[in-house]
Amino acid sequence: MKLPQSVKLPQSLKLPRSPLSGRALTAGAVAVATLMAGGSAAGAASAAERPAAVAERPAAVADAPDIPVANVKAHLTQLQSIATANGGNRAHGRPGYQASLDYVRAELDAAGFTTSLQEFTASGRIGYNLIADWPGGDTDQVVMSGAHLDSVTSGPGINDNGSGSSAVLETALAVARSGYQPTKHLRFAWWGAEELGLVGSSHYVDGLGSADREKISGYLNFDMIGSPNPGYFVYDDDPTIEKTFKDYFAGLGITTEIETEGDGRSDHAPFKNAGVPVGGLFSGADYRKTSAQAAEWGGTVGEPFDPCYHSSCDTTANVDDTALDRNSDAIAYAVWELSQ
């Protein structure tokens, strides 16, 4: 997540509230089937709306794969090794960022994605966005997921934002492993120079024509999802995307809160300001956990969600495995749910 004092983007454009998911159609189909079997539509609707039992995954997640947290952590280990070998960071315009980019792109190319680099300049250094498209699906309806790949210069950036970058990467690889062929087109992105003020994602959005922007039916952003004293925060921008994530966590018996700490400070902001529906997840940065939040989620009252935020101690030791696992699975759930 970028520094608070970085340049803010305008908030003049309102977010359209367009539906993304086929959840309503699914509920209707259940109702029809129940009536044909001699049941009632009201009974079917209530059954469709009931949250899953705490011990179960949400019913709609059956089609989405369980993301192995060990795989996500293996990507984090690679990013840590890259930072260690390149001056302790993976910052914009520096060797650690280039090596991180090369690693992620090689994984995607080997899995069958069509990848491309988008070049830009910030603070006198060349930076890159990495875009990966999964072949197939309606390219007039694009579900896009992204995370910033750069760190600050003061540390390796494993939670911020190796966590989001690695979970998005593993979700993309799960798409390839499963041979998933969604109705909508899937696109994944890793942004450069987020820490300098959302430079990479702004460059991408600014380069889209109005027709291409309208083809993005939703952008999902993941910036810090493995904080060591974690919270479970959901963006409240697009109502359909928000409900998708809330449904997932409700199915696990986990209470979520609206994300406010990073509002406008991560790569969803340029999309939102361009009129694209956005959503995402966040596990907290330097805000401190309240007693009420600790009662819901565990952890330490009065301590930051991430005590190593933007510091040299943001290493592989600075990640909560449970939060990383839950959020990674939630990403896959949303990608599958919103692209059908």
Side-chain angles (χ1 to χ4, degrees), residues 44-224:
S46 62
E49 292 167 1
R50 276 200 302 271
V54 170
E56 299 174 354
R57 302 177 82 199
V61 82
D63 291 338
D66 181 63
I67 300 298
V69 71
N71 292 9
V72 182
K73 291 180 67 178
H75 299 312
L76 292 178
T77 298
Q78 290 293 325
L79 295 178
Q80 176 69 67
S81 297
I82 287 168
T84 301
N86 290 280
N89 68 72
R90 302 180 301 100
H92 161 73
R94 298 171 187 265
Y97 183 79
Q98 184 64 56
S100 299
L101 194 75
D102 292 343
Y103 169 73
V104 174
R105 189 178 194 183
E107 292 283 307
L108 295 163
D109 286 342
F113 281 84
T114 301
T115 63
S116 60
L117 295 181
Q118 187 178 51
E119 182 179 315
F120 59 87
T121 300
S123 299
R125 295 176 181 265
I126 295 175
Y128 300 95
N129 295 323
L130 171 61
I131 311 297
D133 285 271
W134 182 239
D138 183 359
T139 54
D140 286 334
Q141 299 181 83
V142 178
V143 174
M144 190 170 186
S145 303
H148 76 87
L149 187 56
D150 63 315
S151 74
V152 292
T153 56
S154 57
I158 298 304
N159 185 40
D160 183 15
N161 182 39
S163 62
S165 291
S166 296
V168 171
L169 172 58
E170 191 57 31
T171 299
L173 297 179
V175 168
R177 284 194 299 268
S178 67
Y180 181 42
Q181 293 298 325
T183 300
K184 298 177 182 177
H185 182 74
L186 293 180
R187 180 173 299 152
F188 299 88
W190 289 262
W191 308 115
E194 188 268 0
E195 298 290 3
L196 300 183
L198 320 182
V199 178
S201 55
S202 296
H203 179 76
Y204 176 83
V205 173
D206 290 346
L208 295 174
S210 59
D212 287 330
R213 287 197 300 269
E214 291 172 1
K215 290 176 181 179
I216 303 175
S217 58
Y219 171 69
L220 314 179
N221 192 63
F222 306 102
D223 187 353
M224 303 179 65

